[in-house]
């Protein structure tokens, strides 16, 4: 049977996982999370917790993603909402729920495009491309990858380029363009070696192993697979450890090293169950059954293959179920259970046709013809043999077409490179043959001197401009520091005065002396003293010029106190800090926000914070 090595097929669905955190970091994140109220910082911490748990505990990761999405929506925090949709989409992608994943990824993409977040757009485009690859839509996946390559170049994203090249290798491998796939993986490895990215390097090594398996170089494939597995274990990446154990187990099976194959496949199954990834558990269980059947341990083999079929019936990937049904039918045939084989093959034929898996159909007809012949149904068996031959010829011709397309792509690329070399050689030759007169040399020398003088003057001017910019930047940084210090001073002063006032009230009730009332009145006066705010306003206007006049121009109904509230929002201060500075309660903050939204005529979808920041 013609089969594709599982590395890229499965990694195509599980690609682009965020790197796992160490246990100590995870404990620290949980400790911070437990101290936070409902604010944007908690939204970000929930994202970190999702990243730290997705490779080891998917159900916990899902809970973090859902909580993050709900909180971000509640706070009307648009960036946090987009990031949370990405997390939920990744959870669904890793668990094989493609439609749900695509829904959340597109939600995230729409929001990122809203405020020109190029990094977010690239991340989501990549995730959508992996979904297309998982469903065999190679051209669509390649089109999305082409878009991302240009954007990653624009961003100067070296790591992203490596990820993109590795992903493209998977696309070209599935298309049968193995040389182009190899070239892309080598580009990815070169980048990963320069920037020291062990997990990404392991992904690329898995890709190389997959390609070697396609060439039937199983020893080399296993060498790459074991190297990748070692990295995943060192980095505590449980999910990809499970994937690699399955890949290595299949390589050992192809080398007829059945003991090692069983060892790694059992480990892959255990890790898959721990992570609750049915798609991976079913694939590893199917390979374990095949390993037993190759040893003629038919009872164990059929039991494992039947279990794989049961598992794959619970996943949304029909190709996985078709493969498990095929290998189960083959085992039934080997053990003389012809009717069982026919029943299973009939089901797999219907599934393969409805899902358009032409390559699998040929294998199904070939296996079914054996069962029919054993039952002396020669006419139907002959019909299946003819279909088997027709489909195999079709696949052979398709492979030849792919090889021709690959050669054409390589030829065109090399032709472009040769044209560049020829053009350079022609320029060099013309320069060598050119006769330069003494006058030309003198003029060239003079021009060179003038150029150097001009360059020196330009450099001096650029130096003066740079020093001036640095001076301005330093002054602005100092003013920002003064502004923040003054704001924090206001907050601290109000907290202390409030504490003293409360103590004075307690003393008044206890002692009933009029002097305490005078003290409270003095504190109230100091808390509401506008002179402190005048100093704060001076600092603020130096940093955020014309803010107050712009607010009054756009929103004339805004009061003096509301303008102060907006100024503190402009400084990205939290609700708690603003409440302390303005000497109001949390409920007061909520009411102030509602009044502002009404005066600024903001819709429920509009973010108050983003609107203030743009003024």
């Amino acid at each position: 049977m013609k089969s594709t090595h599982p590395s890229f097929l499965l990694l195509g669905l599980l690609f682009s996982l965020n790197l796992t955190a160490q246990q100590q970091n995870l404990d620290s994140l949980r400790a911070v999370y437990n101290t936070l109220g409902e604010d944007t910082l908690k939204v970000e911490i929930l994202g970190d917790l999702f990243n730290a748990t997705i490779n080891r505990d998917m159900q916990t990761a899902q809970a973090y993603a859902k909580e993050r999405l709900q909180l971000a929506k509640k706070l009307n925090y648009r960036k946090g909402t987009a990031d949370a949709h990405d997390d939920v989409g990744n959870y669904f992608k890793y668990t094989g729920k493609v439609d749900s994943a695509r829904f959340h990824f597109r939600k995230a993409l729409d929001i990122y495009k809203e405020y020109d977040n190029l990094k977010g757009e690239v991340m989501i485009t990549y995730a959508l491309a992996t979904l297309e690859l998982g469903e065999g839509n190679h051209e669509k996946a390649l089109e999305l990858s082409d878009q991302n390559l240009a954007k990653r170049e624009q961003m100067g994203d070296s790591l992203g380029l490596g990820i993109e090249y590795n992903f493209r290798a998977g696309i070209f491998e599935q298309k049968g363009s193995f040389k182009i796939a190899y070239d892309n993986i080598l580009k990815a490895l070169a980048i990963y070696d320069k920037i020291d990215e062990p997990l990404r390097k392991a992904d690329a090594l898995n890709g190389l192993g997959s390609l070697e398996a396609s060439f039937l170089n199983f020893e080399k494939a296993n060498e790459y697979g074991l190297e990748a597995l070692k990295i995943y274990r060192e980095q505590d990446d449980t999910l990809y450890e499970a994937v690699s154990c399955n890949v290595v187990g299949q390589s050992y099976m192809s080398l007829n090293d059945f003991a090692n194959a069983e060892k790694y496949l059992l480990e892959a199954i255990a890790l898959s169950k721990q992570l609750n990834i049915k798609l991976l558990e079913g694939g590893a269980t199917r390979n374990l059954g095949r390993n037993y059947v190759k040893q003629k341990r038919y009872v164990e083999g059929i039991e494992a293959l039947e279990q794989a079929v049961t598992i794959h019936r619970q996943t949304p990937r029909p190709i996985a179920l078709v493969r498990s049904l095929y290998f189960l039918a083959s085992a039934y045939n080997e053990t003389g259970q012809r009717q069982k084989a026919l029943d299973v093959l009939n089901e797999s034929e219907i599934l393969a046709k409805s899902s358009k898996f032409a390559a699998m159909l040929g294998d199904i007809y070939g296996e079914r013809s054996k069962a029919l012949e054993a039952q002396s149904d020669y006419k139907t068996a002959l019909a299946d043999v003819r279909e088997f031959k027709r489909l195999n010829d079709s696949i052979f011709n398709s492979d030849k077409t792919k090889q021709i397309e690959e050669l054409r792509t390589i030829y065109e690329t090399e032709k472009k490179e040769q044209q560049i070399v020829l053009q350079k050689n022609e320029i060099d030759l013309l320069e060598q043959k050119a006769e330069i007169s003494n006058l030309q040399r003198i003029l060239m020398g003079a021009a060179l001197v003038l150029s150097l003088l001009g360059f020196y003057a330009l450099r001096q001017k650029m130096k003066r401009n740079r020093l001036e910019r640095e001076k301005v930047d330093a002054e602005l940084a100092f003013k920002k520091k003064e502004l923040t210090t003054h704001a924090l001073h206001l907050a601290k002063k109000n907290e202390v005065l409030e504490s003293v006032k409360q103590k004075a009230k307690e003393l008044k009730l206890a002692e009933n002396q009029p002097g305490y009332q005078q003290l409270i009145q003095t504190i109230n006066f100091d808390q509401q003293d506008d002179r402190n705010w005048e100093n704060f306003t001076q600092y603020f206007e130096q940093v955020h010029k014309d803010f107050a006049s712009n607010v009054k121009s756009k929103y004339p109904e805004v009061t003096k106190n509301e303008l102060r509230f907006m100024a503190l929002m402009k400084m990205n201060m939290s609700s708690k800090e603003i409440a302390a500075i303005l000497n109001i309660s949390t409920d007061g903050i909520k009411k102030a926000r509602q009044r502002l939204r009404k005066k600024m005529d903001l819709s429920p979808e509009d973010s108050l914070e983003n609107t203030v920041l743009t003024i």
Side-chain angles (χ1 to χ4, degrees):
M1 172 186 177
K2 179 181 177 182
S3 63
T4 304
H5 203 263
S7 175
F8 270 126
L9 286 173
L10 191 54
L11 291 176
L13 290 174
L14 304 176
F15 249 118
S16 75
L17 279 177
N18 295 309
L19 308 185
T20 53
Q22 297 300 321
Q23 184 63 40
Q24 185 178 357
N25 184 43
L26 181 57
D27 293 341
S28 300
L29 287 170
R30 283 172 176 155
V32 173
Y33 165 82
N34 290 330
T35 65
L36 295 174
E38 291 191 341
D39 55 22
T40 56
L41 177 58
K42 189 168 187 176
V43 174
E44 299 305 319
I45 292 295
L46 282 165
D48 293 335
L49 285 167
F50 173 84
N51 292 338
T53 54
I54 186 62
N55 286 22
R56 54 178 79 178
D57 185 352
M58 286 213 169
Q59 296 310 308
T60 301
Q62 182 194 22
Y64 286 135
K66 285 184 174 180
E67 184 181 354
R68 188 185 194 194
L69 183 57
Q70 290 169 357
L71 181 57
K73 286 181 174 179
K74 183 177 180 180
L75 297 172
N76 198 23
Y77 179 28
R78 297 296 284 163
K79 178 187 176 298
T81 303
D83 293 343
H85 274 300
D86 177 41
D87 288 350
V88 176
N90 276 318
Y91 167 77
F92 283 126
K93 182 175 74 170
Y94 307 149
T95 51
K97 297 173 183 175
V98 176
D99 290 339
S100 297
R102 186 177 283 114
F103 170 82
H104 284 281
F105 286 146
R106 286 175 176 166
K107 284 281 187 183
L109 185 60
D110 289 342
I111 298 173
Y112 286 135
K113 285 181 176 179
E114 254 180 48
Y115 60 96
D116 297 325
N117 186 326
L118 186 58
K119 184 178 179 182
E121 286 183 42
V122 167
M123 175 178 67
I124 298 300
T125 302
Y126 178 80
L128 288 168
T130 64
L131 295 183
E132 296 297 342
L133 177 62
E135 295 190 320
N137 301 326
H138 304 131
E139 297 309 319
K140 183 62 179 177
L142 200 56
E143 178 189 332
L144 293 171
S145 181
D146 286 339
Q147 294 173 18
N148 264 5
L149 270 182
K151 290 176 182 177
R152 291 189 194 275
E153 289 278 7
Q154 177 186 337
M155 295 162 58
D157 180 10
S158 297
L159 173 60
L161 284 170
I163 293 170
E164 209 67 53
Y165 283 128
N166 198 40
F167 174 63
R168 292 167 72 83
I171 300 173
F172 284 115
E173 185 195 11
Q174 286 196 28
K175 288 183 68 177
S177 301
F178 299 116
K179 186 179 185 306
I180 300 176
Y182 243 117
D183 289 343
N184 277 274
I185 286 184
L186 293 177
K187 286 179 183 177
L189 275 172
I191 292 172
Y192 296 150
D193 283 336
K194 285 181 182 177
I195 59 178
D196 188 26
E197 283 287 337
L199 280 172
R200 297 300 180 184
K201 182 178 180 180
D203 293 343
L205 288 169
N206 258 334
L208 279 176
S210 180
L211 282 168
E212 292 293 353
S214 298
F215 297 133
L216 306 183
N217 299 329
F218 297 114
E219 287 187 6
K220 197 66 180 175
N222 207 39
E223 180 183 324
Y224 287 132
L226 287 168
E227 188 177 351
L229 178 58
K230 181 183 176 185
I231 294 172
Y232 292 134
R233 283 175 170 164
E234 288 172 349
Q235 298 294 318
D236 193 23
D237 193 330
T238 311
L239 173 56
Y240 277 94
E241 182 184 351
V243 173
S244 285
C245 282
N246 185 40
V247 171
V248 169
Q250 190 167 353
S251 293
Y252 273 124
M253 179 172 59
S254 299
L255 291 167
N256 293 328
D257 185 345
F258 301 122
N260 269 321
E262 183 176 351
K263 169 189 167 185
Y264 283 100
L265 290 170
L266 286 171
E267 188 172 350
I269 293 168
L271 290 170
S272 303
K273 287 180 177 178
Q274 175 187 325
L275 294 167
N276 193 29
I277 304 178
K278 292 294 184 183
L279 190 64
L280 180 55
E281 182 191 347
T285 304
R286 177 178 64 219
N287 287 333
L288 182 65
R290 292 174 61 202
N291 189 56
Y292 288 143
V293 169
K294 286 188 75 171
Q295 300 172 71
K296 301 191 183 305
R297 294 163 62 181
Y298 293 116
V299 173
E300 295 163 284
I302 288 174
E303 183 182 349
L305 289 167
E306 287 175 341
Q307 181 64 26
V309 168
T310 301
I311 294 169
H312 279 144
R313 289 192 193 280
Q314 303 170 42
T315 69
R317 291 273 294 163
I319 183 61
L321 177 56
V322 169
R323 285 200 173 102
S324 292
L325 288 168
Y326 170 81
F327 283 111
L328 175 60
S330 179
Y332 283 149
N333 251 346
E334 281 194 46
T335 54
Q337 301 179 67
R338 307 300 181 183
Q339 192 54 51
K340 280 189 175 183
L342 284 172
D343 292 341
V344 171
L345 287 165
N346 289 338
E347 181 185 354
S348 61
E349 178 195 17
I350 294 168
L351 259 178
K353 281 182 176 179
S354 63
S355 305
K356 299 179 181 177
F357 298 134
M360 286 299 300
L361 270 174
D363 295 322
I364 290 166
Y365 288 132
E367 194 66 34
R368 194 167 66 180
S369 67
K370 297 176 188 176
L372 290 167
E373 184 181 2
Q375 289 188 339
S376 302
D377 189 351
Y378 300 114
K379 183 178 180 181
T380 312
L382 180 60
D384 273 359
V385 168
R386 286 172 177 167
E387 275 299 291
F388 169 74
K389 185 177 183 306
R390 183 185 67 79
L391 287 168
N392 270 14
D393 288 345
S394 173
I395 292 169
F396 175 80
N397 292 333
S398 175
D399 287 344
K400 286 295 179 184
T401 302
K402 288 177 183 177
Q403 290 173 20
I404 293 168
E405 287 177 358
E406 179 180 21
L407 289 172
R408 184 185 294 113
T409 303
I410 295 169
Y411 169 74
E412 289 173 353
T413 303
E414 291 177 349
K415 186 177 178 181
K416 288 176 183 176
E417 292 173 352
Q418 288 172 2
Q419 285 174 346
I420 293 170
V421 173
L422 287 172
Q423 287 172 357
K424 186 177 183 302
N425 290 340
E426 286 175 5
I427 292 169
D428 292 341
L429 187 61
L430 288 171
E431 288 177 349
Q432 290 171 8
K433 289 183 177 181
E435 296 179 0
I436 305 173
S437 66
N438 288 333
L439 178 60
Q440 287 174 316
R441 288 175 183 164
I442 293 169
L443 290 172
M444 287 176 66
L448 179 60
V449 171
L450 290 171
S451 297
L452 288 172
L453 288 172
F455 174 74
Y456 178 77
L458 178 62
R459 191 174 69 173
Q460 290 298 106
K461 183 177 179 181
M462 290 173 65
K463 184 176 180 182
R464 286 195 300 273
N465 290 342
R466 179 173 56 81
L467 292 172
E468 187 65 25
R469 282 198 307 272
E470 288 176 354
K471 182 181 177 183
V472 172
D473 290 342
E475 289 176 356
L476 182 60
F478 179 74
K479 287 175 182 176
K480 285 183 176 180
K481 185 176 180 182
E482 285 185 319
L483 176 60
T484 303
T485 302
H486 199 80
L488 293 174
H489 169 72
L490 281 172
K492 189 63 179 176
K493 185 203 73 169
N494 281 341
E495 286 178 4
V496 172
L497 289 175
E498 183 64 24
S499 176
V500 172
K501 185 169 71 175
Q502 293 301 322
K503 188 64 178 176
K505 287 180 179 179
E506 292 171 10
L507 290 171
K508 179 188 174 185
L509 292 172
E511 302 294 338
N512 196 25
Q513 295 183 18
Y516 293 113
Q517 182 60 36
Q518 187 178 359
L519 174 60
I520 292 170
Q521 290 173 352
T522 303
I523 292 170
N524 285 336
F525 177 81
D526 195 30
Q527 283 183 314
Q528 297 170 6
D529 185 8
D530 277 350
R531 284 176 298 176
N532 288 310
W533 274 105
E534 288 172 5
N535 293 333
F536 172 84
T537 303
Q538 288 177 5
Y539 288 125
F540 185 88
E541 284 294 326
Q542 288 175 357
V543 176
H544 303 286
K545 294 185 183 297
D546 302 325
F547 177 77
S549 59
N550 288 337
V551 170
K552 283 295 184 183
S553 174
K554 293 183 71 173
Y555 310 106
E557 293 182 11
V558 169
T559 65
K560 186 177 180 180
N561 286 337
E562 287 168 340
L563 182 60
R564 291 175 179 176
F565 183 79
M566 292 173 73
L568 295 172
M569 288 178 67
K570 180 76 172 177
M571 291 175 63
N572 268 329
M573 288 200 163
S574 68
S575 297
K576 185 178 178 181
E577 291 169 335
I578 295 173
I581 293 170
L582 296 179
N583 194 33
I584 59 178
S585 65
T586 306
D587 288 338
I589 289 288
K590 291 180 180 178
K591 290 176 182 177
R593 289 173 61 92
Q594 290 170 359
R595 285 195 299 269
L596 261 181
R597 293 184 67 87
K598 187 174 181 181
K599 289 184 179 182
M600 295 169 72
D601 196 25
L602 298 180
S603 68
E605 290 76 26
D606 294 330
S607 168
L608 177 60
E609 287 84 353
N610 289 344
T611 304
V612 171
L613 289 172
T614 57
I615 297 176

